């Protein structure tokens, strides 16, 4: 029963994140999620999954680079990123917090696209560290 509850929380958190990402104009491959992850298609963007993942990592947000259906870039460079909340759900992060995490991700991506990542990455790092301290491992 505990595992079932955990998995339900993972899906709720993933849906909360996907909703924010779509609201902020990001292209989710499946139009949302019904499981533990979602893929953001970056095919129409000038940057790759690899560079987007690196920019997010620089702000303490971990994602996976991934290929997307019919992606124009090689699987080594990727045309997308994969996001999944199981790790944060394990820590006890709530739906509201997952929505906020998605906003942080969008803020980093927007700043990266605008060439202003250095101006916000320290602020986002502080927010991520504060959130992690609220939900210790």
């Amino acid at each position: 029963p505990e595992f079932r509850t955990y998995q339900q929380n993972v899906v709720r958190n993933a849906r909360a994140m996907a909703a924010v990402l779509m609201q902020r104009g990001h292209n989710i491959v499946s139009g949302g999620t019904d499981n533990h992850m979602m893929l953001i298609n970056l095919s129409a963007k000038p940057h790759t999954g690899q560079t987007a993942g690196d920019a997010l990592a620089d702000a303490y947000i971990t994602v996976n680079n991934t290929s997307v259906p019919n992606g124009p870039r090689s699987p080594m460079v990727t045309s997308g990123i994969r996001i999944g909340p199981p790790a944060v759900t394990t820590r006890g992060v709530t739906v509201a917090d997952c929505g906020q995490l998605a906003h942080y991700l969008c803020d980093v991506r927007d700043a990266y696209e605008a060439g202003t990542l250095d101006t916000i990455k320290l602020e986002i790092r502080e927010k991520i560290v504060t959130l992690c301290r609220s939900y210790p491992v």
Side-chain angles (χ1 to χ4, degrees):
E2 295 86 10
F3 185 71
R4 178 189 275 287
T5 300
Y6 165 74
Q7 289 298 348
Q8 290 168 338
N9 289 337
V10 167
V11 171
R12 281 188 203 101
N13 285 345
R15 286 179 177 161
M17 293 181 86
V20 168
L21 293 166
M22 290 185 300
Q23 177 187 41
R24 299 259 324 246
H26 293 79
N27 181 6
I28 305 292
V29 168
S30 60
T33 187
D34 290 324
N35 60 37
H36 66 287
M37 66 175 185
M38 69 234 57
L39 306 177
I40 296 179
N41 186 342
L42 302 173
S43 296
K45 301 289 184 181
H47 56 279
T48 67
Q50 184 175 8
T51 58
D54 291 345
L56 289 161
D58 204 23
Y60 297 169
I61 298 172
T62 303
V63 299
N64 297 101
N65 311 342
T66 189
S67 297
V68 296
N70 303 311
R73 298 179 183 105
S74 79
M76 297 303 295
V77 176
T78 72
S79 296
I81 55 176
R82 179 178 54 143
I83 305 161
V88 295
T89 303
T90 299
R91 292 178 80 137
V93 172
T94 66
V95 168
D97 290 325
C98 278
Q100 191 58 56
L101 282 170
H103 278 294
Y104 298 156
L105 182 148
C106 293
D107 292 344
V108 170
R109 291 234 11 262
D110 291 348
Y112 178 75
E113 287 183 16
T116 58
L117 179 60
D118 286 339
T119 62
I120 71 151
K121 75 178 177 186
L122 296 178
E123 176 187 335
I124 297 296
R125 282 180 183 177
E126 286 180 28
K127 291 176 179 179
I128 297 296
V129 167
T130 298
L131 182 70
C132 288
R133 285 187 178 137
S134 299
Y135 299 98
V137 176

